[in-house]
Coordinates of all heavy atoms in Angstrom, one line a residue:
M1 N 61.0 10.7 37.3 CA 61.6 10.1 36.1 C 61.0 8.8 35.8 O 60.4 8.6 34.8 CB 63.1 10.0 36.4 CG 63.9 9.8 35.2 SD 65.7 9.8 35.3 CE 66.2 10.5 36.8
G2 N 61.2 7.8 36.6 CA 60.5 6.5 36.5 C 60.5 5.9 35.1 O 61.6 5.5 34.6
Q3 N 59.3 5.8 34.5 CA 59.2 5.1 33.2 C 59.9 5.8 32.1 O 60.1 5.2 31.0 CB 57.7 4.9 32.9 CG 57.0 6.2 32.6 CD 55.5 6.0 32.4 OE1 55.0 5.0 32.7 NE2 54.9 7.1 32.0
H4 N 60.4 7.0 32.3 CA 61.1 7.8 31.2 C 62.6 7.9 31.5 O 63.2 8.8 30.9 CB 60.4 9.1 31.0 CG 59.0 9.1 30.8 ND1 58.4 8.5 29.6 CD2 57.9 9.5 31.5 CE1 57.1 8.6 29.7 NE2 56.8 9.2 30.8
A5 N 63.1 7.0 32.3 CA 64.5 7.1 32.8 C 65.4 7.0 31.6 O 66.4 7.7 31.6 CB 64.8 5.9 33.7
K6 N 65.1 6.3 30.5 CA 66.0 6.2 29.3 C 66.1 7.6 28.7 O 67.2 7.9 28.2 CB 65.4 5.2 28.3 CG 65.8 3.8 28.5 CD 65.2 2.9 27.4 CE 66.4 2.2 26.7 NZ 65.9 1.3 25.7
L7 N 65.0 8.3 28.6 CA 65.1 9.7 28.0 C 66.0 10.6 28.9 O 66.8 11.3 28.4 CB 63.7 10.3 27.9 CG 62.8 9.6 26.9 CD1 61.4 10.2 27.0 CD2 63.3 9.8 25.5
Y8 N 65.8 10.6 30.2 CA 66.5 11.4 31.1 C 68.0 11.1 31.2 O 68.8 11.9 31.6 CB 65.9 11.5 32.5 CG 64.6 12.3 32.5 CD1 63.4 11.7 32.5 CD2 64.6 13.7 32.5 CE1 62.2 12.4 32.5 CE2 63.5 14.4 32.5 CZ 62.3 13.8 32.5 OH 61.1 14.5 32.5
N9 N 68.3 9.8 31.0 CA 69.7 9.4 31.1 C 70.5 9.5 29.8 O 71.7 9.3 29.8 CB 69.8 7.9 31.5 CG 69.3 7.8 33.0 OD1 69.6 8.6 33.8 ND2 68.7 6.6 33.3
G10 N 69.9 10.0 28.7 CA 70.5 10.1 27.4 C 71.4 11.4 27.3 O 71.2 12.4 28.0
T11 N 72.3 11.3 26.4 CA 73.2 12.4 26.2 C 72.5 13.7 25.7 O 72.8 14.8 26.1 CB 74.3 12.0 25.2 OG1 75.0 10.9 25.6 CG2 75.3 13.1 25.0
A12 N 71.5 13.5 24.8 CA 70.8 14.7 24.3 C 70.1 15.4 25.4 O 70.1 16.7 25.5 CB 69.8 14.2 23.3
W13 N 69.5 14.7 26.4 CA 68.8 15.4 27.5 C 69.8 16.1 28.4 O 69.6 17.2 28.8 CB 68.0 14.4 28.3 CG 67.5 15.1 29.6 CD1 68.0 14.8 30.9 CD2 66.6 16.2 29.7 NE1 67.4 15.6 31.8 CE2 66.6 16.5 31.1 CE3 65.9 16.9 28.8 CZ2 65.8 17.5 31.6 CZ3 65.1 17.9 29.3 CH2 65.0 18.2 30.7
R14 N 70.9 15.4 28.7 CA 71.9 16.0 29.5 C 72.4 17.4 28.9 O 72.6 18.3 29.7 CB 73.1 15.1 29.8 CG 72.7 14.0 30.7 CD 73.9 13.2 31.1 NE 73.5 11.8 31.4 CZ 74.2 10.7 31.1 NH1 75.4 10.8 30.6 NH2 73.7 9.5 31.4
R15 N 72.6 17.4 27.6 CA 73.0 18.6 27.0 C 71.9 19.7 27.0 O 72.2 20.9 27.3 CB 73.4 18.4 25.5 CG 74.7 17.7 25.3 CD 75.1 17.6 23.9 NE 76.2 16.7 23.7 CZ 76.3 15.8 22.8 NH1 75.3 15.6 21.9 NH2 77.4 15.0 22.7
M16 N 70.7 19.3 26.8 CA 69.6 20.2 26.9 C 69.5 20.8 28.3 O 69.3 22.0 28.5 CB 68.3 19.6 26.5 CG 68.1 19.5 25.0 SD 66.4 18.8 24.6 CE 65.4 20.1 25.3
R17 N 69.5 19.9 29.3 CA 69.4 20.4 30.7 C 70.5 21.4 31.0 O 70.3 22.4 31.6 CB 69.5 19.1 31.6 CG 69.4 19.5 33.1 CD 69.8 18.2 33.9 NE 69.7 18.6 35.3 CZ 70.8 19.2 36.0 NH1 71.9 19.5 35.3 NH2 70.6 19.5 37.3
A18 N 71.8 21.0 30.7 CA 72.9 21.9 31.0 C 72.8 23.2 30.3 O 73.0 24.3 30.9 CB 74.2 21.2 30.5
N19 N 72.3 23.2 29.0 CA 72.1 24.5 28.3 C 71.0 25.3 28.9 O 71.1 26.5 29.1 CB 71.7 24.1 26.8 CG 71.7 25.4 26.0 OD1 72.6 26.2 26.0 ND2 70.6 25.5 25.2
Q20 N 69.9 24.7 29.3 CA 68.8 25.4 30.0 C 69.3 26.1 31.3 O 69.0 27.2 31.5 CB 67.6 24.4 30.3 CG 66.5 25.0 31.1 CD 65.7 26.1 30.4 OE1 65.7 26.1 29.2 NE2 65.2 27.0 31.2
L21 N 70.0 25.3 32.1 CA 70.4 25.9 33.4 C 71.5 26.9 33.2 O 71.6 27.8 34.0 CB 70.8 24.8 34.3 CG 69.7 23.8 34.7 CD1 70.3 22.6 35.6 CD2 68.6 24.5 35.5
Q22 N 72.3 26.8 32.2 CA 73.4 27.8 31.9 C 72.7 29.1 31.4 O 73.1 30.2 31.9 CB 74.4 27.3 30.9 CG 75.5 28.2 30.6 CD 76.5 27.7 29.6 OE1 76.3 26.6 29.1 NE2 77.5 28.4 29.4
N23 N 71.8 29.0 30.6 CA 71.1 30.2 30.0 C 70.1 30.8 30.9 O 69.8 32.0 30.8 CB 70.5 29.9 28.7 CG 71.5 29.5 27.6 OD1 72.6 30.0 27.6 ND2 71.1 28.7 26.7
N24 N 69.5 30.0 31.8 CA 68.5 30.5 32.7 C 68.8 29.9 34.1 O 68.2 29.0 34.6 CB 67.1 30.0 32.3 CG 66.8 30.5 30.9 OD1 66.5 31.7 30.7 ND2 67.0 29.6 29.9
P25 N 69.8 30.5 34.8 CA 70.3 29.9 36.1 C 69.4 30.1 37.3 O 69.7 29.5 38.4 CB 71.6 30.6 36.3 CG 71.5 31.9 35.6 CD 70.5 31.7 34.4
L26 N 68.3 30.9 37.2 CA 67.5 31.2 38.4 C 66.1 30.5 38.3 O 65.6 30.3 37.2 CB 67.3 32.7 38.6 CG 68.6 33.5 38.7 CD1 68.2 35.0 38.8 CD2 69.3 33.0 39.9
C27 N 65.6 30.1 39.4 CA 64.3 29.5 39.5 C 63.2 30.5 39.1 O 63.1 31.5 39.8 CB 64.1 28.9 40.9 SG 62.4 28.2 41.2
V28 N 62.4 30.1 38.1 CA 61.3 31.0 37.7 C 60.2 31.1 38.7 O 59.5 32.2 38.8 CB 60.8 30.7 36.3 CG1 61.8 30.8 35.2 CG2 60.2 29.3 36.3
Y29 N 59.9 30.1 39.5 CA 58.9 30.1 40.5 C 59.3 31.1 41.6 O 58.5 31.9 42.1 CB 58.5 28.8 41.0 CG 57.6 27.9 40.2 CD1 57.6 28.1 38.8 CD2 56.8 27.0 40.7 CE1 56.7 27.3 38.0 CE2 55.9 26.2 40.0 CZ 55.9 26.4 38.6 OH 55.1 25.6 37.8
C30 N 60.5 30.9 42.1 CA 61.0 31.8 43.2 C 61.1 33.2 42.7 O 60.7 34.1 43.4 CB 62.4 31.3 43.6 SG 62.4 29.8 44.6
H31 N 61.5 33.4 41.5 CA 61.5 34.8 40.9 C 60.2 35.4 40.9 O 60.0 36.6 41.2 CB 62.1 34.7 39.5 CG 62.3 36.1 38.9 ND1 61.3 36.7 38.1 CD2 63.3 37.0 38.9 CE1 61.7 37.8 37.7 NE2 62.9 38.1 38.2
A32 N 59.1 34.7 40.6 CA 57.7 35.2 40.7 C 57.4 35.7 42.1 O 56.5 36.6 42.2 CB 56.8 34.2 40.2
L33 N 58.0 35.1 43.1 CA 57.7 35.5 44.5 C 58.7 36.6 45.0 O 58.6 37.0 46.1 CB 57.9 34.3 45.4 CG 56.9 33.1 45.1 CD1 57.2 31.9 45.9 CD2 55.5 33.5 45.3
G34 N 59.6 37.0 44.1 CA 60.6 38.1 44.5 C 61.8 37.5 45.2 O 62.5 38.2 45.9
I35 N 62.0 36.2 45.0 CA 63.1 35.5 45.7 C 64.2 35.1 44.6 O 63.8 34.6 43.6 CB 62.7 34.3 46.4 CG1 61.6 34.7 47.5 CG2 63.8 33.6 47.1 CD1 60.8 33.5 48.0
V36 N 65.4 35.3 44.9 CA 66.5 34.9 44.0 C 67.0 33.5 44.5 O 67.6 33.4 45.6 CB 67.6 35.9 43.9 CG1 68.7 35.4 43.0 CG2 67.1 37.2 43.4
T37 N 66.8 32.5 43.7 CA 67.3 31.1 44.0 C 67.9 30.5 42.8 O 67.3 30.6 41.7 CB 66.1 30.3 44.5 OG1 65.4 30.9 45.5 CG2 66.5 28.9 45.0
A38 N 69.0 29.9 43.0 CA 69.7 29.1 41.9 C 68.8 27.9 41.5 O 68.3 27.2 42.3 CB 71.0 28.7 42.3
A39 N 68.6 27.7 40.2 CA 67.9 26.6 39.7 C 68.8 25.4 39.5 O 70.0 25.6 39.2 CB 67.2 27.0 38.3
N40 N 68.3 24.2 39.7 CA 69.1 23.0 39.5 C 68.2 21.9 38.8 O 68.7 20.8 38.7 CB 69.7 22.5 40.8 CG 68.7 22.4 41.9 OD1 67.5 22.5 41.7 ND2 69.2 22.2 43.1
V41 N 67.0 22.3 38.3 CA 66.2 21.4 37.6 C 65.7 22.0 36.3 O 65.2 23.1 36.3 CB 64.9 21.0 38.5 CG1 64.0 20.1 37.7 CG2 65.3 20.3 39.8
A42 N 65.9 21.3 35.2 CA 65.3 21.8 33.9 C 63.9 21.0 33.8 O 63.9 19.8 33.7 CB 66.2 21.4 32.8
D43 N 62.9 21.8 34.0 CA 61.5 21.2 34.1 C 60.8 21.4 32.8 O 60.9 22.5 32.1 CB 60.8 21.9 35.2 CG 59.3 21.5 35.3 OD1 59.1 20.4 35.6 OD2 58.5 22.4 35.0
H44 N 60.0 20.4 32.4 CA 59.1 20.6 31.3 C 57.9 21.3 31.7 O 57.1 20.9 32.6 CB 58.7 19.2 30.7 CG 59.9 18.5 30.1 ND1 60.7 17.6 30.8 CD2 60.3 18.5 28.8 CE1 61.6 17.1 30.0 NE2 61.4 17.6 28.8
V45 N 57.6 22.5 31.1 CA 56.5 23.3 31.4 C 55.2 22.5 31.1 O 54.4 22.4 32.0 CB 56.5 24.6 30.5 CG1 55.2 25.4 30.8 CG2 57.7 25.4 30.7
K46 N 55.1 22.0 30.0 CA 54.0 21.1 29.7 C 54.5 19.7 29.8 O 55.4 19.3 29.1 CB 53.4 21.3 28.2 CG 52.3 20.5 27.9 CD 51.7 20.8 26.5 CE 50.5 19.9 26.1 NZ 50.1 20.2 24.8
P47 N 53.9 18.9 30.7 CA 54.4 17.5 30.9 C 54.4 16.7 29.6 O 53.5 16.8 28.8 CB 53.4 16.9 31.8 CG 52.7 18.0 32.5 CD 52.7 19.2 31.5
H48 N 55.6 16.1 29.3 CA 55.8 15.4 28.0 C 55.1 14.0 28.0 O 54.7 13.6 26.9 CB 57.2 15.2 27.7 CG 58.0 14.4 28.7 ND1 58.0 13.0 28.7 CD2 58.7 14.8 29.8 CE1 58.7 12.6 29.7 NE2 59.2 13.6 30.4
R49 N 54.9 13.3 29.1 CA 54.3 12.0 29.2 C 54.8 11.0 28.1 O 54.0 10.3 27.5 CB 52.8 12.2 29.1 CG 52.2 13.2 30.0 CD 51.0 12.7 30.8 NE 50.3 13.7 31.5 CZ 50.7 14.3 32.6 NH1 51.8 14.1 33.1 NH2 49.9 15.2 33.2
G50 N 56.1 11.1 27.8 CA 56.7 10.2 26.8 C 56.7 10.7 25.4 O 57.3 10.1 24.5
D51 N 56.1 11.9 25.2 CA 56.0 12.5 23.8 C 57.4 13.0 23.5 O 57.8 14.0 24.1 CB 55.0 13.6 23.8 CG 54.9 14.2 22.4 OD1 55.8 14.3 21.6 OD2 53.8 14.8 22.2
F52 N 58.1 12.4 22.5 CA 59.5 12.9 22.2 C 59.5 14.3 21.7 O 60.5 15.0 22.0 CB 60.1 12.0 21.1 CG 60.4 10.6 21.5 CD1 59.6 9.5 21.2 CD2 61.5 10.3 22.3 CE1 59.8 8.3 21.6 CE2 61.8 9.1 22.7 CZ 61.0 8.0 22.4
R53 N 58.5 14.8 21.0 CA 58.5 16.1 20.5 C 58.5 17.1 21.7 O 59.3 18.1 21.7 CB 57.2 16.4 19.6 CG 57.2 17.7 19.0 CD 55.9 17.9 18.2 NE 54.7 17.7 19.0 CZ 54.2 18.6 19.9 NH1 54.8 19.7 20.1 NH2 53.1 18.4 20.6
L54 N 57.6 16.9 22.7 CA 57.6 17.8 23.9 C 58.9 17.6 24.7 O 59.4 18.6 25.3 CB 56.4 17.4 24.7 CG 55.1 18.1 24.3 CD1 53.9 17.6 25.2 CD2 55.2 19.6 24.3
F55 N 59.3 16.4 24.8 CA 60.5 16.1 25.7 C 61.7 16.9 25.2 O 62.4 17.5 26.0 CB 60.8 14.6 25.7 CG 61.9 14.3 26.7 CD1 61.6 14.0 28.0 CD2 63.2 14.2 26.3 CE1 62.5 13.7 29.0 CE2 64.2 13.9 27.2 CZ 63.9 13.7 28.6
F56 N 61.9 16.9 23.9 CA 63.1 17.5 23.3 C 62.9 18.9 22.8 O 63.7 19.5 22.1 CB 63.7 16.6 22.2 CG 64.3 15.4 22.8 CD1 63.7 14.1 22.6 CD2 65.5 15.4 23.6 CE1 64.3 13.0 23.1 CE2 66.0 14.2 24.1 CZ 65.4 13.0 23.9
D57 N 61.8 19.5 23.2 CA 61.5 20.9 22.8 C 62.0 21.9 23.8 O 61.5 22.0 24.9 CB 59.9 21.1 22.7 CG 59.5 22.5 22.2 OD1 60.4 23.3 22.0 OD2 58.3 22.7 22.2
A58 N 63.1 22.5 23.4 CA 63.8 23.4 24.4 C 62.9 24.6 24.8 O 63.0 25.1 25.9 CB 65.1 24.0 23.7
S59 N 61.9 25.0 24.0 CA 61.0 26.0 24.4 C 60.0 25.6 25.4 O 59.2 26.4 26.0 CB 60.3 26.6 23.2 OG 59.4 25.7 22.6
N60 N 60.0 24.3 25.7 CA 59.1 23.7 26.7 C 59.8 23.5 28.1 O 59.3 22.8 28.9 CB 58.5 22.3 26.2 CG 57.4 21.8 27.1 OD1 56.6 22.5 27.7 ND2 57.5 20.5 27.3
L61 N 60.9 24.1 28.2 CA 61.7 24.0 29.5 C 61.7 25.3 30.3 O 61.6 26.4 29.7 CB 63.1 23.6 29.2 CG 63.4 22.2 28.5 CD1 64.9 22.0 28.3 CD2 62.8 21.1 29.4
Q62 N 61.7 25.1 31.6 CA 61.9 26.2 32.5 C 62.8 25.8 33.6 O 63.0 24.6 33.9 CB 60.6 26.7 33.1 CG 59.9 25.6 33.9 CD 58.5 26.1 34.4 OE1 58.2 27.2 34.3 NE2 57.8 25.2 35.0
S63 N 63.5 26.7 34.2 CA 64.5 26.4 35.2 C 63.8 26.5 36.6 O 63.2 27.6 36.9 CB 65.7 27.3 35.2 OG 66.4 27.2 33.9
L64 N 63.9 25.5 37.4 CA 63.4 25.5 38.8 C 64.4 25.0 39.8 O 65.3 24.3 39.5 CB 62.1 24.6 38.9 CG 60.9 24.9 38.0 CD1 59.9 23.8 38.2 CD2 60.4 26.2 38.3
C65 N 64.2 25.5 41.0 CA 65.0 24.9 42.1 C 64.3 23.6 42.5 O 63.1 23.3 42.2 CB 65.1 25.8 43.3 SG 63.5 26.1 44.2
K66 N 65.0 22.7 43.1 CA 64.4 21.3 43.5 C 63.2 21.5 44.4 O 62.2 20.8 44.2 CB 65.5 20.5 44.1 CG 64.9 19.1 44.5 CD 66.0 18.1 44.6 CE 65.5 16.7 45.0 NZ 64.4 16.2 44.2
K67 N 63.2 22.4 45.3 CA 62.1 22.6 46.2 C 60.8 23.0 45.4 O 59.8 22.4 45.7 CB 62.4 23.7 47.2 CG 61.3 23.9 48.2 CD 61.6 25.0 49.2 CE 60.5 25.3 50.1 NZ 60.7 26.4 51.0
C68 N 60.9 23.9 44.5 CA 59.8 24.3 43.7 C 59.3 23.2 42.8 O 58.1 23.0 42.6 CB 60.1 25.6 42.9 SG 60.1 27.1 43.9
H69 N 60.3 22.5 42.2 CA 59.9 21.4 41.3 C 59.1 20.3 42.0 O 58.1 19.8 41.6 CB 61.2 20.8 40.7 CG 60.9 19.7 39.8 ND1 61.0 18.4 40.2 CD2 60.5 19.6 38.5 CE1 60.7 17.6 39.2 NE2 60.4 18.3 38.1
D70 N 59.6 20.0 43.2 CA 59.0 18.9 44.0 C 57.8 19.2 44.8 O 57.0 18.4 45.1 CB 60.0 18.3 44.9 CG 61.2 17.6 44.2 OD1 61.1 17.4 43.0 OD2 62.2 17.2 44.9
S71 N 57.5 20.5 45.0 CA 56.4 20.9 45.7 C 55.4 21.7 44.8 O 54.3 21.2 44.4 CB 56.7 21.7 47.0 OG 57.4 22.9 46.6
S72 N 55.7 23.0 44.5 CA 54.8 23.8 43.8 C 54.4 23.3 42.4 O 53.2 23.2 42.1 CB 55.4 25.2 43.6 OG 55.7 25.8 44.9
K73 N 55.4 22.8 41.7 CA 55.1 22.3 40.3 C 54.3 21.0 40.4 O 53.4 20.8 39.6 CB 56.4 22.1 39.5 CG 56.3 21.5 38.2 CD 55.5 22.4 37.2 CE 55.1 21.8 35.9 NZ 56.0 21.7 34.9
A74 N 54.7 20.2 41.3 CA 53.9 18.9 41.5 C 52.5 19.2 41.8 O 51.6 18.6 41.3 CB 54.6 18.0 42.5
R75 N 52.3 20.1 42.8 CA 50.9 20.5 43.2 C 50.2 21.1 42.0 O 49.0 20.8 41.8 CB 51.0 21.4 44.4 CG 49.6 21.8 44.9 CD 49.7 22.6 46.2 NE 50.6 23.8 46.0 CZ 51.6 24.0 46.8 NH1 52.0 23.2 47.8 NH2 52.4 25.1 46.6
E76 N 50.8 21.9 41.2 CA 50.2 22.5 40.1 C 49.8 21.5 39.1 O 48.7 21.6 38.5 CB 51.2 23.5 39.4 CG 50.8 24.2 38.2 CD 51.8 25.1 37.7 OE1 52.4 25.9 38.4 OE2 52.1 25.0 36.5
E77 N 50.6 20.5 38.8 CA 50.2 19.4 37.9 C 49.1 18.6 38.4 O 48.2 18.2 37.6 CB 51.5 18.6 37.5 CG 52.4 19.3 36.6 CD 53.6 18.4 36.2 OE1 53.6 17.2 36.4 OE2 54.6 19.0 35.6
N78 N 49.1 18.3 39.7 CA 48.1 17.5 40.3 C 46.7 18.2 40.4 O 45.7 17.6 40.2 CB 48.5 17.0 41.6 CG 49.6 15.9 41.5 OD1 49.7 15.2 40.5 ND2 50.4 15.9 42.6
L79 N 46.7 19.5 40.7 CA 45.5 20.2 40.9 C 45.1 21.0 39.7 O 43.9 21.4 39.6 CB 45.7 21.2 42.1 CG 45.9 20.6 43.5 CD1 46.1 21.7 44.5 CD2 44.8 19.7 43.9
G80 N 46.0 21.3 38.8 CA 45.7 22.1 37.6 C 45.7 23.6 37.8 O 45.3 24.3 37.0
L81 N 46.3 24.0 38.9 CA 46.4 25.5 39.1 C 47.6 25.8 40.1 O 48.1 24.9 40.8 CB 45.1 26.0 39.7 CG 44.6 25.4 41.0 CD1 45.1 26.2 42.2 CD2 43.1 25.4 41.0
S82 N 48.0 27.0 40.0 CA 49.1 27.5 40.9 C 48.5 28.1 42.1 O 47.5 28.8 42.1 CB 49.9 28.6 40.1 OG 50.5 28.0 39.0
I83 N 49.2 27.8 43.2 CA 48.7 28.4 44.5 C 49.8 29.3 45.0 O 51.0 29.1 44.9 CB 48.6 27.2 45.5 CG1 47.5 26.3 45.1 CG2 48.2 27.8 46.9 CD1 47.3 25.0 45.9
G84 N 49.3 30.5 45.6 CA 50.3 31.4 46.1 C 50.1 32.8 45.5 O 49.4 33.0 44.5
C85 N 50.9 33.7 46.0 CA 50.9 35.1 45.5 C 52.4 35.5 45.2 O 53.3 35.0 45.7 CB 50.4 36.0 46.6 SG 48.7 35.7 47.1
D86 N 52.4 36.5 44.3 CA 53.7 37.0 43.9 C 54.2 38.0 45.0 O 53.6 38.2 46.0 CB 53.7 37.7 42.5 CG 52.8 38.9 42.4 OD1 52.4 39.5 43.5 OD2 52.4 39.3 41.3
A87 N 55.3 38.7 44.7 CA 55.9 39.6 45.6 C 55.0 40.8 46.0 O 55.2 41.4 47.0 CB 57.3 40.1 45.1
L88 N 54.1 41.1 45.1 CA 53.2 42.2 45.3 C 51.8 41.8 45.9 O 51.0 42.6 46.2 CB 52.9 43.0 44.0 CG 54.1 43.6 43.3 CD1 53.7 44.2 42.0 CD2 54.7 44.7 44.2
G89 N 51.7 40.5 46.2 CA 50.5 40.0 46.8 C 49.4 39.6 45.8 O 48.3 39.2 46.3
F90 N 49.7 39.6 44.5 CA 48.7 39.2 43.5 C 48.8 37.7 43.3 O 49.9 37.1 43.4 CB 48.9 39.9 42.2 CG 48.6 41.4 42.3 CD1 49.7 42.3 42.3 CD2 47.3 41.8 42.3 CE1 49.4 43.6 42.4 CE2 47.1 43.2 42.4 CZ 48.1 44.1 42.5
P91 N 47.7 37.0 43.1 CA 47.7 35.5 42.9 C 48.6 35.2 41.7 O 48.6 35.8 40.6 CB 46.3 35.2 42.6 CG 45.5 36.3 43.1 CD 46.3 37.5 43.0
I92 N 49.4 34.1 41.8 CA 50.3 33.6 40.8 C 49.4 33.0 39.7 O 49.7 33.1 38.5 CB 51.3 32.6 41.3 CG1 52.2 33.3 42.2 CG2 52.0 31.9 40.2 CD1 53.2 32.3 43.0
N93 N 48.3 32.4 40.0 CA 47.4 31.7 39.1 C 46.8 32.8 38.2 O 46.0 33.6 38.7 CB 46.4 30.9 39.8 CG 45.5 30.1 38.9 OD1 45.6 30.2 37.7 ND2 44.6 29.3 39.4
K94 N 47.0 32.8 36.9 CA 46.5 33.8 36.0 C 45.0 33.7 35.9 O 44.3 34.6 35.5 CB 47.1 33.6 34.6 CG 48.6 33.7 34.6 CD 49.1 35.1 35.0 CE 50.6 35.2 34.8 NZ 51.3 35.9 35.8
K95 N 44.4 32.5 36.2 CA 43.0 32.3 36.1 C 42.2 32.7 37.4 O 41.0 32.7 37.4 CB 42.7 30.8 35.9 CG 43.2 30.3 34.6 CD 43.0 28.8 34.4 CE 43.6 28.3 33.1 NZ 43.5 26.9 33.0
H96 N 43.0 33.1 38.4 CA 42.4 33.5 39.7 C 41.7 34.9 39.5 O 42.2 35.8 38.8 CB 43.4 33.6 40.8 CG 42.9 33.8 42.1 ND1 42.4 35.0 42.6 CD2 42.7 33.0 43.1 CE1 42.0 34.9 43.8 NE2 42.1 33.7 44.2
W97 N 40.5 35.0 40.1 CA 39.8 36.3 39.9 C 40.5 37.4 40.7 O 40.3 38.5 40.6 CB 38.3 36.1 40.4 CG 38.2 35.4 41.7 CD1 38.1 34.0 41.8 CD2 38.3 35.9 43.0 NE1 38.0 33.7 43.2 CE2 38.1 34.8 43.9 CE3 38.4 37.2 43.5 CZ2 38.2 35.0 45.3 CZ3 38.4 37.3 44.9 CH2 38.3 36.3 45.8

């Protein structure tokens, strides 16, 4: 959150977050692995970096559990790719050969 704390502490964001988690209650990363996990983080698919348009774009949100948000998603943003396989053993990264 850090430098964008004002955005995350606002009423508009709280409503968007609650709506996202109510409509999509399961973690999409866990689901890709064949695991059912309750989501508790409304994550921006494309990092907003302070861009209000991206921040408040509901279509730019996905539901994640805290573990996936803090590990898999963070690694994905830092490295630029997803690591791991789905429930069938296929790479999660769509760019993987």
Side-chain angles (χ1 to χ4, degrees):
M1 197 176 341
Q3 64 186 11
H4 305 297
K6 273 183 123 173
L7 292 172
Y8 285 104
N9 290 327
T11 303
W13 168 251
R14 287 190 209 145
R15 285 188 190 132
M16 280 185 64
R17 178 190 179 278
N19 189 49
Q20 174 66 28
L21 295 175
Q22 181 178 3
N23 293 330
N24 302 282
L26 301 178
C27 175
V28 296
Y29 279 30
C30 287
H31 183 266
L33 300 173
I35 303 167
V36 177
T37 307
N40 49 14
V41 176
D43 174 66
H44 291 91
V45 176
K46 182 177 180 183
H48 61 84
R49 310 229 193 284
D51 180 335
F52 290 105
R53 185 184 56 76
L54 278 176
F55 188 88
F56 292 109
D57 180 0
S59 68
N60 187 39
L61 295 178
Q62 64 184 349
S63 298
L64 298 177
C65 66
K66 181 157 176 50
K67 180 181 177 187
C68 286
H69 179 265
D70 293 352
S71 61
S72 301
K73 177 64 190 277
R75 183 173 51 238
E76 181 180 309
E77 286 184 13
N78 290 332
L79 297 177
L81 56 93
S82 302
I83 297 173
C85 298
D86 65 16
L88 298 175
F90 293 103
I92 292 172
N93 184 359
K94 305 292 186 220
K95 297 176 184 175
H96 191 280
W97 45 270

